[in-house]
mmCIF file of all heavy atoms in Angstrom:
data_model
loop_
_atom_site.group_PDB
_atom_site.id
_atom_site.type_symbol
_atom_site.label_atom_id
_atom_site.label_comp_id
_atom_site.label_asym_id
_atom_site.label_seq_id
_atom_site.Cartn_x
_atom_site.Cartn_y
_atom_site.Cartn_z
ATOM 1 N N MET A 1 0.850 -1.167 -0.010
ATOM 2 C CA MET A 1 -0.026 0.032 0.003
ATOM 3 C C MET A 1 0.880 1.249 0.002
ATOM 4 O O MET A 1 1.733 1.419 0.844
ATOM 5 C CB MET A 1 -0.889 -0.029 1.218
ATOM 6 C CG MET A 1 -1.868 1.109 1.314
ATOM 7 S SD MET A 1 -2.935 1.104 2.762
ATOM 8 C CE MET A 1 -3.969 -0.211 2.470
ATOM 9 N N ASN A 2 0.664 2.092 -0.996
ATOM 10 C CA ASN A 2 1.575 3.277 -1.088
ATOM 11 C C ASN A 2 1.010 4.369 -0.159
ATOM 12 O O ASN A 2 -0.086 4.258 0.463
ATOM 13 C CB ASN A 2 1.754 3.710 -2.491
ATOM 14 C CG ASN A 2 0.409 4.160 -3.141
ATOM 15 O OD1 ASN A 2 -0.579 4.397 -2.418
ATOM 16 N ND2 ASN A 2 0.410 4.275 -4.443
ATOM 17 N N LEU A 3 1.714 5.499 -0.100
ATOM 18 C CA LEU A 3 1.326 6.618 0.761
ATOM 19 C C LEU A 3 -0.042 7.203 0.368
ATOM 20 O O LEU A 3 -0.782 7.542 1.222
ATOM 21 C CB LEU A 3 2.420 7.640 0.706
ATOM 22 C CG LEU A 3 2.302 8.810 1.657
ATOM 23 C CD1 LEU A 3 2.312 8.326 3.116
ATOM 24 C CD2 LEU A 3 3.372 9.797 1.489
ATOM 25 N N LYS A 4 -0.306 7.272 -0.881
ATOM 26 C CA LYS A 4 -1.582 7.889 -1.347
ATOM 27 C C LYS A 4 -2.805 7.025 -0.908
ATOM 28 O O LYS A 4 -3.835 7.512 -0.443
ATOM 29 C CB LYS A 4 -1.625 7.987 -2.894
ATOM 30 C CG LYS A 4 -2.123 9.237 -3.467
ATOM 31 C CD LYS A 4 -2.069 9.209 -4.923
ATOM 32 C CE LYS A 4 -1.314 10.479 -5.393
ATOM 33 N NZ LYS A 4 -1.490 10.699 -6.778
ATOM 34 N N ASP A 5 -2.635 5.698 -0.985
ATOM 35 C CA ASP A 5 -3.719 4.829 -0.533
ATOM 36 C C ASP A 5 -3.914 4.867 1.012
ATOM 37 O O ASP A 5 -5.009 4.877 1.395
ATOM 38 C CB ASP A 5 -3.403 3.393 -0.936
ATOM 39 C CG ASP A 5 -3.473 3.124 -2.502
ATOM 40 O OD1 ASP A 5 -4.126 3.881 -3.067
ATOM 41 O OD2 ASP A 5 -2.788 2.211 -2.920
ATOM 42 N N ARG A 6 -2.797 4.963 1.735
ATOM 43 C CA ARG A 6 -2.850 5.121 3.158
ATOM 44 C C ARG A 6 -3.569 6.393 3.537
ATOM 45 O O ARG A 6 -4.395 6.423 4.468
ATOM 46 C CB ARG A 6 -1.475 5.064 3.811
ATOM 47 C CG ARG A 6 -0.886 3.676 3.873
ATOM 48 C CD ARG A 6 0.388 3.677 4.621
ATOM 49 N NE ARG A 6 0.933 2.391 4.679
ATOM 50 C CZ ARG A 6 1.966 2.042 5.398
ATOM 51 N NH1 ARG A 6 2.521 2.919 6.104
ATOM 52 N NH2 ARG A 6 2.401 0.836 5.351
ATOM 53 N N ALA A 7 -3.216 7.467 2.977
ATOM 54 C CA ALA A 7 -3.910 8.766 3.172
ATOM 55 C C ALA A 7 -5.393 8.703 2.901
ATOM 56 O O ALA A 7 -6.202 9.256 3.683
ATOM 57 C CB ALA A 7 -3.209 9.846 2.389
ATOM 58 N N ARG A 8 -5.704 8.063 1.788
ATOM 59 C CA ARG A 8 -7.093 7.990 1.430
ATOM 60 C C ARG A 8 -7.845 7.085 2.461
ATOM 61 O O ARG A 8 -8.965 7.442 2.955
ATOM 62 C CB ARG A 8 -7.242 7.318 0.006
ATOM 63 C CG ARG A 8 -8.614 7.487 -0.578
ATOM 64 C CD ARG A 8 -8.621 6.974 -2.018
ATOM 65 N NE ARG A 8 -7.828 7.898 -2.831
ATOM 66 C CZ ARG A 8 -6.804 7.485 -3.581
ATOM 67 N NH1 ARG A 8 -6.485 6.220 -3.721
ATOM 68 N NH2 ARG A 8 -6.098 8.333 -4.370
ATOM 69 N N LYS A 9 -7.272 6.017 2.928
ATOM 70 C CA LYS A 9 -7.946 5.170 3.924
ATOM 71 C C LYS A 9 -7.998 5.882 5.248
ATOM 72 O O LYS A 9 -9.095 5.829 5.945
ATOM 73 C CB LYS A 9 -7.138 3.877 4.073
ATOM 74 C CG LYS A 9 -7.632 2.976 5.088
ATOM 75 C CD LYS A 9 -7.963 1.615 4.588
ATOM 76 C CE LYS A 9 -8.305 0.618 5.687
ATOM 77 N NZ LYS A 9 -9.666 0.755 6.069
ATOM 78 N N LEU A 10 -6.961 6.607 5.654
ATOM 79 C CA LEU A 10 -7.001 7.383 6.862
ATOM 80 C C LEU A 10 -8.094 8.403 6.867
ATOM 81 O O LEU A 10 -8.804 8.673 7.849
ATOM 82 C CB LEU A 10 -5.650 8.001 7.206
ATOM 83 C CG LEU A 10 -5.459 8.740 8.488
ATOM 84 C CD1 LEU A 10 -5.615 7.796 9.607
ATOM 85 C CD2 LEU A 10 -4.135 9.413 8.544
ATOM 86 N N LYS A 11 -8.296 9.086 5.686
ATOM 87 C CA LYS A 11 -9.316 10.115 5.522
ATOM 88 C C LYS A 11 -10.727 9.519 5.783
ATOM 89 O O LYS A 11 -11.526 10.200 6.289
ATOM 90 C CB LYS A 11 -9.187 10.728 4.132
ATOM 91 C CG LYS A 11 -10.060 11.866 3.938
ATOM 92 C CD LYS A 11 -9.870 12.460 2.553
ATOM 93 C CE LYS A 11 -10.782 13.644 2.278
ATOM 94 N NZ LYS A 11 -10.613 14.214 0.972
ATOM 95 N N SER A 12 -10.913 8.280 5.351
ATOM 96 C CA SER A 12 -12.196 7.755 5.506
ATOM 97 C C SER A 12 -12.415 7.073 6.947
ATOM 98 O O SER A 12 -13.536 6.993 7.473
ATOM 99 C CB SER A 12 -12.440 6.595 4.509
ATOM 100 O OG SER A 12 -11.613 5.508 4.681
ATOM 101 N N ASP A 13 -11.305 6.753 7.625
ATOM 102 C CA ASP A 13 -11.438 6.184 8.939
ATOM 103 C C ASP A 13 -11.448 7.168 10.125
ATOM 104 O O ASP A 13 -12.046 6.833 11.121
ATOM 105 C CB ASP A 13 -10.167 5.232 9.190
ATOM 106 C CG ASP A 13 -10.224 3.934 8.400
ATOM 107 O OD1 ASP A 13 -11.259 3.646 7.850
ATOM 108 O OD2 ASP A 13 -9.177 3.311 8.287
ATOM 109 N N VAL A 14 -10.972 8.295 9.861
ATOM 110 C CA VAL A 14 -11.001 9.337 10.953
ATOM 111 C C VAL A 14 -12.354 9.743 11.417
ATOM 112 O O VAL A 14 -12.626 9.732 12.565
ATOM 113 C CB VAL A 14 -10.108 10.580 10.593
ATOM 114 C CG1 VAL A 14 -10.302 11.713 11.535
ATOM 115 C CG2 VAL A 14 -8.629 10.205 10.537
ATOM 116 N N PRO A 15 -13.314 9.947 10.507
ATOM 117 C CA PRO A 15 -14.642 10.350 10.937
ATOM 118 C C PRO A 15 -15.303 9.177 11.697
ATOM 119 O O PRO A 15 -16.022 9.418 12.691
ATOM 120 C CB PRO A 15 -15.352 10.637 9.671
ATOM 121 C CG PRO A 15 -14.340 11.007 8.656
ATOM 122 C CD PRO A 15 -13.138 10.181 9.056
ATOM 123 N N ALA A 16 -15.060 7.952 11.251
ATOM 124 C CA ALA A 16 -15.602 6.805 11.998
ATOM 125 C C ALA A 16 -15.021 6.703 13.433
ATOM 126 O O ALA A 16 -15.782 6.459 14.335
ATOM 127 C CB ALA A 16 -15.331 5.516 11.196
ATOM 128 N N LEU A 17 -13.745 6.878 13.564
ATOM 129 C CA LEU A 17 -13.165 6.844 14.933
ATOM 130 C C LEU A 17 -13.686 8.037 15.738
ATOM 131 O O LEU A 17 -13.985 7.841 16.932
ATOM 132 C CB LEU A 17 -11.607 6.997 14.781
ATOM 133 C CG LEU A 17 -10.921 5.680 14.477
ATOM 134 C CD1 LEU A 17 -9.478 5.954 14.246
ATOM 135 C CD2 LEU A 17 -11.148 4.663 15.523
ATOM 136 N N PHE A 18 -13.866 9.212 15.174
ATOM 137 C CA PHE A 18 -14.418 10.324 15.929
ATOM 138 C C PHE A 18 -15.770 10.093 16.410
ATOM 139 O O PHE A 18 -16.069 10.375 17.558
ATOM 140 C CB PHE A 18 -14.398 11.586 14.963
ATOM 141 C CG PHE A 18 -14.894 12.817 15.617
ATOM 142 C CD1 PHE A 18 -14.152 13.480 16.651
ATOM 143 C CD2 PHE A 18 -16.148 13.348 15.285
ATOM 144 C CE1 PHE A 18 -14.665 14.589 17.279
ATOM 145 C CE2 PHE A 18 -16.576 14.472 15.928
ATOM 146 C CZ PHE A 18 -15.805 15.095 16.911
ATOM 147 N N LEU A 19 -16.594 9.463 15.507
ATOM 148 C CA LEU A 19 -17.978 9.203 15.990
ATOM 149 C C LEU A 19 -18.008 8.098 17.065
ATOM 150 O O LEU A 19 -18.812 8.181 18.066
ATOM 151 C CB LEU A 19 -18.820 8.766 14.756
ATOM 152 C CG LEU A 19 -19.101 9.864 13.780
ATOM 153 C CD1 LEU A 19 -19.841 9.285 12.532
ATOM 154 C CD2 LEU A 19 -19.969 10.912 14.392
ATOM 155 N N ALA A 20 -17.172 7.159 16.931
ATOM 156 C CA ALA A 20 -17.094 6.071 17.904
ATOM 157 C C ALA A 20 -16.612 6.611 19.255
ATOM 158 O O ALA A 20 -17.127 6.214 20.357
ATOM 159 C CB ALA A 20 -16.197 4.974 17.453
ATOM 160 N N LEU A 21 -15.659 7.554 19.264
ATOM 161 C CA LEU A 21 -15.160 8.119 20.535
ATOM 162 C C LEU A 21 -16.188 9.027 21.149
ATOM 163 O O LEU A 21 -16.147 9.137 22.388
ATOM 164 C CB LEU A 21 -13.853 8.882 20.226
ATOM 165 C CG LEU A 21 -12.664 7.980 19.951
ATOM 166 C CD1 LEU A 21 -11.447 8.874 19.529
ATOM 167 C CD2 LEU A 21 -12.269 7.085 21.060
ATOM 168 N N LYS A 22 -17.065 9.664 20.405
ATOM 169 C CA LYS A 22 -18.114 10.556 21.051
ATOM 170 C C LYS A 22 -19.280 9.768 21.596
ATOM 171 O O LYS A 22 -19.933 10.288 22.548
ATOM 172 C CB LYS A 22 -18.642 11.488 19.891
ATOM 173 C CG LYS A 22 -17.734 12.617 19.599
ATOM 174 C CD LYS A 22 -18.353 13.506 18.564
ATOM 175 C CE LYS A 22 -19.756 13.875 18.793
ATOM 176 N NZ LYS A 22 -20.312 14.830 17.808
ATOM 177 N N LYS A 23 -19.534 8.579 21.161
ATOM 178 C CA LYS A 23 -20.719 7.785 21.629
ATOM 179 C C LYS A 23 -20.513 7.320 23.125
ATOM 180 O O LYS A 23 -19.408 6.878 23.453
ATOM 181 C CB LYS A 23 -20.881 6.531 20.745
ATOM 182 C CG LYS A 23 -21.337 6.861 19.374
ATOM 183 C CD LYS A 23 -22.797 7.158 19.282
ATOM 184 C CE LYS A 23 -23.170 7.310 17.910
ATOM 185 N NZ LYS A 23 -24.561 7.564 17.743
ATOM 186 N N LYS A 24 -21.489 7.463 23.887
ATOM 187 C CA LYS A 24 -21.457 6.991 25.228
ATOM 188 C C LYS A 24 -21.488 5.459 25.313
ATOM 189 O O LYS A 24 -20.915 4.807 26.294
ATOM 190 C CB LYS A 24 -22.645 7.440 26.058
ATOM 191 C CG LYS A 24 -22.591 8.982 26.305
ATOM 192 C CD LYS A 24 -23.776 9.450 27.054
ATOM 193 C CE LYS A 24 -23.744 10.930 27.299
ATOM 194 N NZ LYS A 24 -24.879 11.399 27.986
ATOM 195 N N GLU A 25 -22.009 4.799 24.320
ATOM 196 C CA GLU A 25 -22.097 3.328 24.261
ATOM 197 C C GLU A 25 -20.780 2.622 23.983
ATOM 198 O O GLU A 25 -20.622 1.401 24.170
ATOM 199 C CB GLU A 25 -23.130 2.895 23.190
ATOM 200 C CG GLU A 25 -24.542 3.278 23.467
ATOM 201 C CD GLU A 25 -24.850 4.721 22.935
ATOM 202 O OE1 GLU A 25 -24.058 5.162 22.042
ATOM 203 O OE2 GLU A 25 -25.804 5.314 23.321
ATOM 204 N N THR A 26 -19.788 3.429 23.477
ATOM 205 C CA THR A 26 -18.511 2.813 23.169
ATOM 206 C C THR A 26 -17.808 2.475 24.478
ATOM 207 O O THR A 26 -17.638 3.398 25.336
ATOM 208 C CB THR A 26 -17.675 3.792 22.336
ATOM 209 O OG1 THR A 26 -18.412 4.121 21.167
ATOM 210 C CG2 THR A 26 -16.317 3.085 21.946
ATOM 211 N N PRO A 27 -17.349 1.252 24.629
ATOM 212 C CA PRO A 27 -16.620 0.860 25.852
ATOM 213 C C PRO A 27 -15.323 1.672 25.996
ATOM 214 O O PRO A 27 -14.727 2.037 25.106
ATOM 215 C CB PRO A 27 -16.330 -0.627 25.657
ATOM 216 C CG PRO A 27 -17.212 -1.086 24.571
ATOM 217 C CD PRO A 27 -17.497 0.119 23.739
ATOM 218 N N VAL A 28 -14.967 1.884 27.290
ATOM 219 C CA VAL A 28 -13.734 2.711 27.600
ATOM 220 C C VAL A 28 -12.534 2.073 27.045
ATOM 221 O O VAL A 28 -11.682 2.764 26.478
ATOM 222 C CB VAL A 28 -13.659 2.865 29.140
ATOM 223 C CG1 VAL A 28 -12.349 3.633 29.506
ATOM 224 C CG2 VAL A 28 -14.817 3.691 29.676
ATOM 225 N N ILE A 29 -12.406 0.730 27.052
ATOM 226 C CA ILE A 29 -11.215 0.080 26.604
ATOM 227 C C ILE A 29 -11.083 0.307 25.093
ATOM 228 O O ILE A 29 -9.947 0.390 24.561
ATOM 229 C CB ILE A 29 -11.205 -1.385 27.010
ATOM 230 C CG1 ILE A 29 -9.892 -2.047 26.719
ATOM 231 C CG2 ILE A 29 -12.321 -2.189 26.259
ATOM 232 C CD1 ILE A 29 -8.794 -1.620 27.741
ATOM 233 N N ALA A 30 -12.194 0.291 24.369
ATOM 234 C CA ALA A 30 -12.178 0.587 22.911
ATOM 235 C C ALA A 30 -11.719 1.951 22.686
ATOM 236 O O ALA A 30 -10.932 2.192 21.708
ATOM 237 C CB ALA A 30 -13.560 0.317 22.323
ATOM 238 N N LYS A 31 -12.155 2.916 23.478
ATOM 239 C CA LYS A 31 -11.610 4.311 23.327
ATOM 240 C C LYS A 31 -10.203 4.409 23.561
ATOM 241 O O LYS A 31 -9.448 5.168 22.849
ATOM 242 C CB LYS A 31 -12.444 5.176 24.249
ATOM 243 C CG LYS A 31 -13.908 5.404 23.845
ATOM 244 C CD LYS A 31 -14.585 6.263 24.784
ATOM 245 C CE LYS A 31 -16.125 6.406 24.447
ATOM 246 N NZ LYS A 31 -16.776 7.366 25.245
ATOM 247 N N ILE A 32 -9.661 3.678 24.543
ATOM 248 C CA ILE A 32 -8.215 3.757 24.845
ATOM 249 C C ILE A 32 -7.406 3.177 23.743
ATOM 250 O O ILE A 32 -6.449 3.781 23.287
ATOM 251 C CB ILE A 32 -7.896 2.999 26.168
ATOM 252 C CG1 ILE A 32 -8.565 3.715 27.366
ATOM 253 C CG2 ILE A 32 -6.482 2.746 26.383
ATOM 254 C CD1 ILE A 32 -8.519 2.973 28.679
ATOM 255 N N PHE A 33 -7.879 1.989 23.167
ATOM 256 C CA PHE A 33 -7.119 1.373 22.097
ATOM 257 C C PHE A 33 -7.242 2.265 20.826
ATOM 258 O O PHE A 33 -6.240 2.328 20.038
ATOM 259 C CB PHE A 33 -7.589 -0.010 21.805
ATOM 260 C CG PHE A 33 -7.044 -1.013 22.740
ATOM 261 C CD1 PHE A 33 -7.871 -1.763 23.574
ATOM 262 C CD2 PHE A 33 -5.652 -1.257 22.828
ATOM 263 C CE1 PHE A 33 -7.348 -2.742 24.403
ATOM 264 C CE2 PHE A 33 -5.136 -2.227 23.655
ATOM 265 C CZ PHE A 33 -5.988 -2.953 24.445
ATOM 266 N N ALA A 34 -8.315 2.902 20.617
ATOM 267 C CA ALA A 34 -8.466 3.803 19.413
ATOM 268 C C ALA A 34 -7.493 4.940 19.598
ATOM 269 O O ALA A 34 -6.795 5.343 18.611
ATOM 270 C CB ALA A 34 -9.921 4.317 19.302
ATOM 271 N N GLY A 35 -7.350 5.563 20.799
ATOM 272 C CA GLY A 35 -6.450 6.612 20.972
ATOM 273 C C GLY A 35 -5.036 6.248 20.811
ATOM 274 O O GLY A 35 -4.198 6.899 20.231
ATOM 275 N N ILE A 36 -4.650 4.962 21.316
ATOM 276 C CA ILE A 36 -3.320 4.477 21.114
ATOM 277 C C ILE A 36 -3.003 4.268 19.609
ATOM 278 O O ILE A 36 -1.919 4.568 19.122
ATOM 279 C CB ILE A 36 -3.152 3.155 21.951
ATOM 280 C CG1 ILE A 36 -3.093 3.441 23.446
ATOM 281 C CG2 ILE A 36 -1.799 2.416 21.499
ATOM 282 C CD1 ILE A 36 -3.182 2.234 24.298
ATOM 283 N N THR A 37 -3.958 3.649 18.939
ATOM 284 C CA THR A 37 -3.829 3.424 17.487
ATOM 285 C C THR A 37 -3.612 4.745 16.733
ATOM 286 O O THR A 37 -2.765 4.821 15.851
ATOM 287 C CB THR A 37 -5.041 2.764 16.926
ATOM 288 O OG1 THR A 37 -5.208 1.444 17.700
ATOM 289 C CG2 THR A 37 -4.864 2.392 15.494
ATOM 290 N N ILE A 38 -4.405 5.726 17.007
ATOM 291 C CA ILE A 38 -4.264 7.017 16.330
ATOM 292 C C ILE A 38 -2.949 7.690 16.695
ATOM 293 O O ILE A 38 -2.248 8.212 15.784
ATOM 294 C CB ILE A 38 -5.469 7.947 16.720
ATOM 295 C CG1 ILE A 38 -6.732 7.462 16.171
ATOM 296 C CG2 ILE A 38 -5.147 9.387 16.274
ATOM 297 C CD1 ILE A 38 -7.958 8.197 16.691
ATOM 298 N N GLY A 39 -2.562 7.617 17.940
ATOM 299 C CA GLY A 39 -1.200 8.159 18.308
ATOM 300 C C GLY A 39 -0.089 7.431 17.623
ATOM 301 O O GLY A 39 0.898 8.073 17.139
ATOM 302 N N TYR A 40 -0.168 6.123 17.553
ATOM 303 C CA TYR A 40 0.963 5.363 16.877
ATOM 304 C C TYR A 40 0.928 5.695 15.350
ATOM 305 O O TYR A 40 1.994 5.793 14.780
ATOM 306 C CB TYR A 40 0.759 3.878 17.124
ATOM 307 C CG TYR A 40 1.857 3.053 16.443
ATOM 308 C CD1 TYR A 40 3.089 3.100 16.930
ATOM 309 C CD2 TYR A 40 1.534 2.347 15.274
ATOM 310 C CE1 TYR A 40 4.121 2.377 16.276
ATOM 311 C CE2 TYR A 40 2.522 1.555 14.718
ATOM 312 C CZ TYR A 40 3.812 1.563 15.229
ATOM 313 O OH TYR A 40 4.785 0.847 14.556
ATOM 314 N N ALA A 41 -0.264 5.752 14.772
ATOM 315 C CA ALA A 41 -0.297 6.072 13.324
ATOM 316 C C ALA A 41 0.269 7.434 12.998
ATOM 317 O O ALA A 41 0.901 7.637 11.923
ATOM 318 C CB ALA A 41 -1.774 5.939 12.833
ATOM 319 N N LEU A 42 0.084 8.406 13.862
ATOM 320 C CA LEU A 42 0.514 9.751 13.603
ATOM 321 C C LEU A 42 1.854 10.061 14.126
ATOM 322 O O LEU A 42 2.434 11.123 13.913
ATOM 323 C CB LEU A 42 -0.493 10.771 14.143
ATOM 324 C CG LEU A 42 -1.931 10.705 13.491
ATOM 325 C CD1 LEU A 42 -2.826 11.713 14.223
ATOM 326 C CD2 LEU A 42 -1.789 10.925 12.049
ATOM 327 N N SER A 43 2.441 9.110 14.888
ATOM 328 C CA SER A 43 3.768 9.312 15.505
ATOM 329 C C SER A 43 4.893 9.121 14.464
ATOM 330 O O SER A 43 4.890 8.217 13.657
ATOM 331 C CB SER A 43 4.016 8.251 16.666
ATOM 332 O OG SER A 43 5.275 8.372 17.130
ATOM 333 N N PRO A 44 5.869 10.102 14.520
ATOM 334 C CA PRO A 44 6.988 9.927 13.601
ATOM 335 C C PRO A 44 8.016 8.910 14.123
ATOM 336 O O PRO A 44 8.922 8.557 13.355
ATOM 337 C CB PRO A 44 7.625 11.404 13.627
ATOM 338 C CG PRO A 44 7.226 11.874 14.958
ATOM 339 C CD PRO A 44 5.921 11.315 15.281
ATOM 340 N N ILE A 45 7.856 8.431 15.334
ATOM 341 C CA ILE A 45 8.753 7.497 15.862
ATOM 342 C C ILE A 45 8.199 6.019 15.636
ATOM 343 O O ILE A 45 7.074 5.778 15.940
ATOM 344 C CB ILE A 45 8.901 7.640 17.395
ATOM 345 C CG1 ILE A 45 9.503 9.038 17.683
ATOM 346 C CG2 ILE A 45 9.875 6.602 18.070
ATOM 347 C CD1 ILE A 45 9.432 9.445 19.104
ATOM 348 N N ASP A 46 9.068 5.189 15.118
ATOM 349 C CA ASP A 46 8.691 3.774 14.885
ATOM 350 C C ASP A 46 8.936 2.965 16.169
ATOM 351 O O ASP A 46 10.072 2.616 16.487
ATOM 352 C CB ASP A 46 9.456 3.219 13.732
ATOM 353 C CG ASP A 46 8.900 1.908 13.158
ATOM 354 O OD1 ASP A 46 7.843 1.556 13.584
ATOM 355 O OD2 ASP A 46 9.613 1.213 12.443
ATOM 356 N N LEU A 47 7.927 2.628 16.842
ATOM 357 C CA LEU A 47 8.033 1.865 18.108
ATOM 358 C C LEU A 47 8.374 0.452 17.871
ATOM 359 O O LEU A 47 9.040 -0.226 18.691
ATOM 360 C CB LEU A 47 6.753 2.064 18.959
ATOM 361 C CG LEU A 47 6.423 3.380 19.390
ATOM 362 C CD1 LEU A 47 5.089 3.388 20.126
ATOM 363 C CD2 LEU A 47 7.476 4.017 20.335
ATOM 364 N N ILE A 48 7.910 -0.157 16.847
ATOM 365 C CA ILE A 48 8.205 -1.616 16.560
ATOM 366 C C ILE A 48 9.028 -1.581 15.201
ATOM 367 O O ILE A 48 8.625 -1.313 14.155
ATOM 368 C CB ILE A 48 6.896 -2.332 16.199
ATOM 369 C CG1 ILE A 48 5.961 -2.313 17.438
ATOM 370 C CG2 ILE A 48 7.200 -3.816 15.839
ATOM 371 C CD1 ILE A 48 4.643 -2.908 17.194
ATOM 372 N N PRO A 49 10.334 -1.879 15.409
ATOM 373 C CA PRO A 49 11.272 -1.804 14.191
ATOM 374 C C PRO A 49 10.873 -2.801 13.187
ATOM 375 O O PRO A 49 10.314 -3.891 13.505
ATOM 376 C CB PRO A 49 12.605 -2.160 14.868
ATOM 377 C CG PRO A 49 12.463 -1.910 16.292
ATOM 378 C CD PRO A 49 11.076 -2.102 16.643
ATOM 379 N N ASP A 50 11.127 -2.527 12.018
ATOM 380 C CA ASP A 50 10.835 -3.376 10.807
ATOM 381 C C ASP A 50 11.655 -4.641 10.720
ATOM 382 O O ASP A 50 11.282 -5.564 10.057
ATOM 383 C CB ASP A 50 10.863 -2.612 9.463
ATOM 384 C CG ASP A 50 9.841 -1.541 9.484
ATOM 385 O OD1 ASP A 50 8.824 -1.639 10.179
ATOM 386 O OD2 ASP A 50 10.012 -0.566 8.787
ATOM 387 N N PHE A 51 12.844 -4.592 11.416
ATOM 388 C CA PHE A 51 13.760 -5.745 11.269
ATOM 389 C C PHE A 51 13.365 -6.955 12.231
ATOM 390 O O PHE A 51 13.971 -7.954 12.131
ATOM 391 C CB PHE A 51 15.161 -5.350 11.666
ATOM 392 C CG PHE A 51 15.385 -4.856 12.958
ATOM 393 C CD1 PHE A 51 15.658 -5.730 14.013
ATOM 394 C CD2 PHE A 51 15.386 -3.522 13.288
ATOM 395 C CE1 PHE A 51 15.832 -5.261 15.327
ATOM 396 C CE2 PHE A 51 15.618 -3.091 14.536
ATOM 397 C CZ PHE A 51 15.808 -3.901 15.543
ATOM 398 N N ILE A 52 12.292 -6.796 13.023
ATOM 399 C CA ILE A 52 11.813 -7.905 13.801
ATOM 400 C C ILE A 52 10.912 -8.827 12.930
ATOM 401 O O ILE A 52 9.824 -8.439 12.593
ATOM 402 C CB ILE A 52 11.031 -7.431 15.078
ATOM 403 C CG1 ILE A 52 11.974 -6.548 15.925
ATOM 404 C CG2 ILE A 52 10.536 -8.636 15.829
ATOM 405 C CD1 ILE A 52 11.245 -5.980 17.117
ATOM 406 N N PRO A 53 11.422 -9.982 12.534
ATOM 407 C CA PRO A 53 10.693 -10.825 11.571
ATOM 408 C C PRO A 53 9.394 -11.413 12.143
ATOM 409 O O PRO A 53 8.459 -11.741 11.369
ATOM 410 C CB PRO A 53 11.664 -11.886 11.209
ATOM 411 C CG PRO A 53 12.619 -11.971 12.340
ATOM 412 C CD PRO A 53 12.666 -10.522 12.920
ATOM 413 N N VAL A 54 9.271 -11.663 13.425
ATOM 414 C CA VAL A 54 8.146 -12.345 13.989
ATOM 415 C C VAL A 54 6.895 -11.427 14.016
ATOM 416 O O VAL A 54 5.830 -11.813 13.658
ATOM 417 C CB VAL A 54 8.475 -12.747 15.494
ATOM 418 C CG1 VAL A 54 7.216 -13.361 16.117
ATOM 419 C CG2 VAL A 54 9.640 -13.671 15.528
ATOM 420 N N ILE A 55 7.085 -10.132 14.274
ATOM 421 C CA ILE A 55 5.968 -9.219 14.278
ATOM 422 C C ILE A 55 5.549 -8.706 12.934
ATOM 423 O O ILE A 55 4.456 -8.490 12.611
ATOM 424 C CB ILE A 55 6.321 -8.009 15.248
ATOM 425 C CG1 ILE A 55 6.504 -8.579 16.627
ATOM 426 C CG2 ILE A 55 5.183 -7.001 15.258
ATOM 427 C CD1 ILE A 55 7.020 -7.545 17.616
ATOM 428 N N SER A 56 6.555 -8.493 12.098
ATOM 429 C CA SER A 56 6.331 -7.944 10.671
ATOM 430 C C SER A 56 5.640 -8.874 9.907
ATOM 431 O O SER A 56 5.056 -9.365 9.286
ATOM 432 C CB SER A 56 7.663 -7.477 10.046
ATOM 433 O OG SER A 56 8.268 -6.586 10.833
#
């Protein structure tokens, strides 16, 4: 997946995450994981290096 495809997917996923985070019915643990995922996606630091073959 190239950068253009990722940007397009992120553009469609952000409103869905925003709506899920606003809903009272969304469990707290789901909100926490959504926040961690957004933070990792937007972070310039690579927390999981690409050279680890088991995770990649």
Side-chain angles (χ1 to χ4, degrees):
M1 182 181 290
N2 64 16
L3 187 59
K4 225 180 229 187
D5 291 337
R6 284 186 181 190
R8 194 172 293 126
K9 178 122 175 80
L10 184 64
K11 186 178 177 180
S12 67
D13 289 346
V14 168
L17 281 174
F18 179 73
L19 290 175
L21 289 174
K22 280 181 48 175
K23 294 278 186 180
K24 290 181 183 178
E25 297 86 19
T26 305
V28 174
I29 193 73
K31 290 180 181 184
I32 292 170
F33 279 119
I36 291 170
T37 303
I38 291 169
Y40 180 71
L42 298 177
S43 173
I45 301 170
D46 191 14
L47 298 177
I48 303 173
D50 295 333
F51 63 84
I52 299 176
V54 177
I55 298 174
S56 301

